[in-house]
Amino acid sequence: MFVAVVVSTVMLALFTINTRLKTDLLNAIVANEMSELVEDYPTQGADAIPHSANLIGYVVTPAQRNQLPEPLRGLGPNVKGVTLTYNNHTYRVGTHALGDNKQVYLAYDITAIESRESLFKLIAIVAAILVLILAVPLGAWIARISLKPINALAEHVANLHPGERTARLAEQFEHYEVGVIAHAFDRFMSRLDEFVERERSFTADASHELRTPLAVIQGAVEVLQQDPKLVESGPLTRIDRASHQMAELIEALLFLARDEQAEADGAAPSCRADQVVSEVVDAYRPLMARKTVEVSALDPCEIGAPRIALVIAFGNLLRNALRHGGDEIRVTLADRRLTVADNGDGMTTEELQHAFERGYRSGPGAGLGLGLYLVKRVADRYDWRIRLASRPEEGTRIELQLA
């Protein structure tokens, strides 16, 4: 398309310039001959009137105009130049008024010039067409050759994985212009490898170092709860509840930090969503206090995700509803849609816009701002669609479409 525009523009410019130059040149020739005729006619009379193969002149009175070729009869005085065709010839014609009520007509034969110009235009048009015909496959071939190393580099980059040590790209593209880009990618991958290694080390260390003290705390709490004097202890109950919440949060964060798409035996992960929902609701009953949690529908449903993923997602939704919702909470699992709705104070438009952002908190009793953020992370990983609907004083409804 670009080549066609360029060629068309060049051809149009050439034709315009050629026409302008030809017109100016012919007008100059006619004007020069007319000047000589006007100067010589008073002294030489009819001998001054040219009559050659290329130039024909006429000096007539108004009564003698019928002797002129028909195309010349309608021309007025002092015509600088006009192209007329008659008697199978093309002429550039000029006129000039003389004394004694006479008028001079001068016709310069440009038939040969017009023929050569037509041939030039034809050759130019044919050449332009040939250029266009050749430009498309030639341009495609050149582009394919030029883009080959770029496509190869793009393919290598697309196959790179942050966790895999691979051969450096610069070695494969050393003799190409894209070698600079390959070197830049190598430097970036080196930094990324270091980052991934640090993240893996942290995840492994955190998995051990954080779980161990929590296990000790929970074990100690269980021992203390066996003492009849401490069974109803408020501080001990809060410690037990906080330790379990911290264990769940650590498990969620470690799960999201790992990129595990299969079970240990290589099988695709799966779980029964209805069973997980029922288990999570039972686990959260100590937190319900005076609130009512109604499971209105619980259809059998198997999903392609590990159990921990749904525990994290649904657990955070239910915890949010218990913490910020009203007295009535409804849970449904039907048509692969998991819904948690409450009759609480609802959310404002601004709160809806930031609800899934990490660290966003609002309202009394706000937590760490991680609940809905973790739900969104899990949903994105397993292509679950999440919908949040809420209005002030009308409660909140969150729906997970399980893929």
Side-chain angles (χ1 to χ4, degrees), residues 50 59 69 119 147 244 292 299 310 388 394:
V59 179
L119 179 61
L147 294 176
H244 280 86
T292 302
D299 294 350
L310 189 56
L388 171 60
E394 295 185 12

Side-chain angles (χ1 to χ4, degrees), residues 140-171:
W141 178 76
I142 294 175
R144 187 164 54 251
I145 296 298
S146 302
L147 294 176
K148 186 175 180 179
I150 298 178
N151 292 333
L153 177 60
E155 183 178 356
H156 279 79
V157 172
N159 294 328
L160 290 178
H161 191 279
E164 297 178 358
R165 298 283 181 172
T166 57
R168 294 310 179 191
L169 298 176
E171 299 175 0

Side-chain angles (χ1 to χ4, degrees), residues 35-158:
S35 177
E36 292 183 2
L37 175 57
V38 171
E39 182 179 352
D40 295 339
Y41 184 78
T43 57
Q44 299 180 15
D47 293 337
I49 302 173
H51 193 82
S52 63
N54 295 329
L55 189 63
I56 303 174
Y58 305 91
V59 179
V60 297
T61 62
Q64 296 173 331
R65 284 191 177 183
N66 291 334
Q67 300 175 9
L68 296 172
E70 185 174 352
L72 303 182
R73 297 173 188 172
L75 297 178
N78 301 320
V79 175
K80 300 298 182 182
V82 62
T83 300
L84 299 174
T85 300
Y86 57 92
N87 296 335
N88 297 324
H89 285 261
T90 303
Y91 297 91
R92 190 68 179 178
V93 180
T95 66
H96 189 79
L98 287 176
D100 299 331
N101 202 23
K102 292 182 178 180
Q103 185 164 314
V104 178
Y105 296 82
L106 202 59
Y108 182 69
D109 192 344
I110 60 172
T111 304
I113 296 175
E114 291 290 317
S115 298
R116 287 192 293 271
E117 183 184 20
S118 298
L119 179 61
F120 165 75
K121 290 182 178 180
L122 178 61
I123 293 174
I125 292 173
V126 171
I129 294 175
L130 290 176
V131 168
L132 290 176
I133 293 175
L134 295 175
V136 173
L138 185 61
W141 178 76
I142 294 175
R144 187 164 54 251
I145 296 298
S146 302
L147 294 176
K148 186 175 180 179
I150 298 178
N151 292 333
L153 177 60
E155 183 178 356
H156 279 79
V157 172

